Amino acid sequence: MDSIRELKIDEIEKLIIDLGEKKFRAKQIFQWIHQKGIYKFEQMKNIPNSLIEKLEENYYLQNMDVEKVSESAEDGTKKILFNLKDNEVVETVLMKYKYGNSICISTQVGCRMGCKFCASTIGGLKRNITAGEMLGQVYEVNRMIDKNINHIVLMGSGEPLENFDEVIKFLEMINHSEGYYLSLRNITISTCGLIPEIKKLADKKLQITLAISLHGATDETRNKLMPINKKYPIEELLKAVDYYIEKTNRRITFEYAMIKDLNDSASEARVLSKLLKGKLVHVNLIPINKVEENQFYPSDEKQIIKFKSILEKTGINVTIRRELGSDINAACGQLRNNYNQTKIEIIEKL
Ligand code: SAH
């Protein structure tokens, strides 16, 4: 059986015609799935039973089950663990802000980028997450909170640009006027800096926000934290950033996780100022979140403020990000697929 959430409207059309049904049904079915967010075929009220039966024979609608929900006592952030059809698990985080509900979705099960401070990378990459499974994370959480999610960040586990085609398909489907119809301006994609894909994305001229995880102003610093920097060093990355801005005229966000005594010195801030001066960018400073398996600690508040002011003196736009959900390991970089490991441990104990 296949997941019907994977099908674009023209693919549903083809399917409907193959089943000997009228073409206009495709739009209705697409609307039920993506606009109304139903989770059972029988909820498609204007579709004849005979067609519903045919769909049920070949497809399933819900492509994941909720395995576990943790809620932060501090800020109400929720971490949802989903079980996918092949029993892989994936984590999604729901954050509530003054302006609405924001969701952080995963784009891969695990990750192979190897950033030293990140928990998602610990077990390596298992597989890509499909467009339908990205949509599923949004729809299932929507149903859980009985409200509409109006901001999506692709910042959960995985490297979105390594799963390029499925991410683009996800964007097309979530933005479809007969579907969820979310503006691309309300979507942020975060990358560790895959240069060819940044350029490919630039050529698409989408209205999304691109965020780049920088975390260092020199190759020496960045090499210590992010293996990808050896392949795509800072100078090359910044050329790709210029290309992206030129093509899209969209402001890029640089994420900079502040790590005590590693990348938070005044001299690092001065180098960063020089690199970014005059560019259409915004820097987001994030005190690093503690991950059990590594020895990185967040910078002192005083140091973060000093770093910020050095950048601001050059006219760079800087914010300090408040972290949500850290008490339930739902903050940036804390997502990891350790559920399977726990299951294995339990089996071994028996
Ligand atoms: N692979 C993509 C998106 C997933 S990571 C990327 O690298 O951007 C999302 C963000 O969380 C990235 O900026 C990443 O560097 C950051 N991150 C990872 N571990 C973190 C940690 N322990 N504390 C703070 N941010 C972290």
Side-chain angles (χ1 to χ4, degrees):
M1 269 226 212
D2 294 323
S3 161
I4 200 158
R5 279 181 178 158
E6 304 292 345
L7 300 188
K8 295 204 257 187
I9 201 159
D10 53 329
E11 291 168 328
I12 300 183
E13 246 170 43
K14 191 177 171 300
L15 165 80
I16 291 299
I17 292 165
D18 287 350
L19 289 174
E21 302 275 348
K22 299 248 162 45
K23 194 175 147 188
F24 74 92
R25 296 281 179 213
K27 190 166 126 187
Q28 292 176 326
I29 292 170
F30 190 86
Q31 285 171 335
W32 280 115
I33 300 169
H34 300 278
Q35 194 178 73
K36 304 194 177 80
I38 56 140
Y39 58 100
K40 280 188 209 149
F41 285 104
E42 66 197 46
Q43 292 171 303
M44 296 183 173
K45 294 207 179 65
N46 54 2
I47 305 292
N49 280 342
S50 56
L51 177 53
I52 288 186
E53 275 166 24
K54 284 186 206 164
L55 292 174
E56 273 174 342
E57 270 167 34
N58 297 298
Y59 292 93
Y60 53 84
L61 225 165
Q62 251 179 304
N63 49 359
M64 57 191 67
D65 300 309
V66 176
E67 183 79 43
K68 195 179 160 210
V69 180
S70 334
E71 182 161 355
S72 161
E74 287 165 12
D75 53 45
T77 295
K78 282 195 175 91
K79 180 170 78 171
I80 303 105
L81 193 71
F82 287 111
N83 205 344
L84 305 176
K85 286 289 171 190
D86 59 354
N87 277 328
E88 291 292 358
V89 287
V90 73
E91 285 169 302
T92 307
V93 179
L94 171 75
M95 295 154 290
K96 289 178 192 151
Y97 291 101
K98 269 182 258 148
Y99 57 80
N101 294 302
S102 181
I103 190 180
C104 174
I105 65 169
S106 294
T107 55
Q108 292 182 317
V109 180
C111 185
R112 65 184 188 104
M113 294 297 124
C115 299
K116 299 279 190 289
F117 45 82
C118 180
S120 299
T121 206
I122 290 168
L125 174 69
K126 295 268 182 58
R127 71 164 171 88
N128 280 332
I129 288 178
T130 64
E133 288 167 338
M134 292 177 216
L135 294 166
Q137 293 174 63
V138 179
Y139 301 162
E140 294 295 326
V141 172
N142 248 347
R143 197 151 63 83
M144 191 183 291
I145 60 172
D146 197 25
K147 279 197 200 91
N148 265 356
I149 288 155
N150 46 23
H151 202 275
I152 301 177
V153 297
L154 278 65
M155 279 195 193
S157 76
E159 169 47 49
L161 295 190
E162 205 190 27
N163 187 11
F164 195 87
D165 293 345
E166 288 299 308
V167 164
I168 297 296
K169 181 176 165 190
F170 164 75
L171 294 178
E172 278 170 17
M173 289 176 79
I174 198 101
N175 182 235
H176 199 287
S177 56
E178 301 296 343
Y180 197 81
Y181 205 17
L182 185 73
S183 163
L184 293 185
R185 286 180 177 266
N186 293 8
I187 300 180
T188 300
I189 296 185
S190 180
T191 178
C192 64
L194 305 185
I195 292 177
E197 285 76 15
I198 291 175
K199 290 185 180 157
K200 225 163 98 181
L201 191 63
D203 291 336
K204 293 196 173 285
K205 299 187 181 162
L206 302 175
Q207 295 292 300
I208 55 147
T209 299
L210 181 65
I212 295 182
S213 304
L214 195 62
H215 311 324
T218 62
D219 285 328
E220 197 194 340
T221 307
R222 203 165 184 258
N223 282 342
K224 282 187 206 156
L225 299 170
M226 304 175 71
I228 196 69
N229 194 64
K230 301 211 169 96
K231 193 167 178 193
Y232 301 127
I234 293 179
E235 202 186 327
E236 299 299 312
L237 181 59
L238 290 178
K239 280 188 203 151
V241 163
D242 288 340
Y243 181 79
Y244 189 90
I245 297 170
E246 190 193 307
K247 286 279 168 181
T248 62
N249 207 22
R250 300 278 299 158
R251 188 172 76 163
I252 286 194
T253 298
F254 282 106
E255 290 157 278
Y256 198 103
M258 300 287 294
I259 311 174
K260 196 177 171 62
D261 300 332
L262 206 145
N263 63 0
D264 63 349
S265 69
S267 69
E268 195 92 21
R270 281 192 284 272
V271 178
L272 188 59
S273 297
K274 275 203 196 117
L275 287 180
L276 303 185
K277 193 175 175 190
K279 290 192 199 295
L280 184 61
V281 298
H282 164 241
V283 177
N284 209 346
L285 301 175
I286 312 146
I288 198 141
N289 290 301
K290 192 72 200 82
V291 167
E292 233 175 77
E293 289 84 349
N294 67 45
Q295 290 308 308
F296 298 116
Y297 295 93
S299 306
D300 298 332
E301 202 183 324
K302 226 174 88 195
Q303 196 61 27
I304 301 178
I305 291 168
K306 189 169 164 193
F307 198 95
K308 180 174 184 257
S309 72
I310 294 173
L311 293 174
E312 280 173 340
K313 274 193 198 119
T314 331
I316 298 167
N317 194 312
V318 191
T319 46
I320 299 174
R321 184 149 87 203
R322 183 172 66 103
E323 275 304 327
L324 297 175
S326 50
D327 59 331
I328 51 165
N329 285 344
C332 245
Q334 290 186 319
L335 302 187
R336 59 173 304 194
N337 297 294
N338 58 359
Y339 188 76
N340 276 337
Q341 288 168 5
T342 339
K343 271 204 260 190
I344 292 166
E345 276 166 23
I346 294 166
I347 293 164
E348 278 173 356
K349 268 187 208 151
L350 287 177

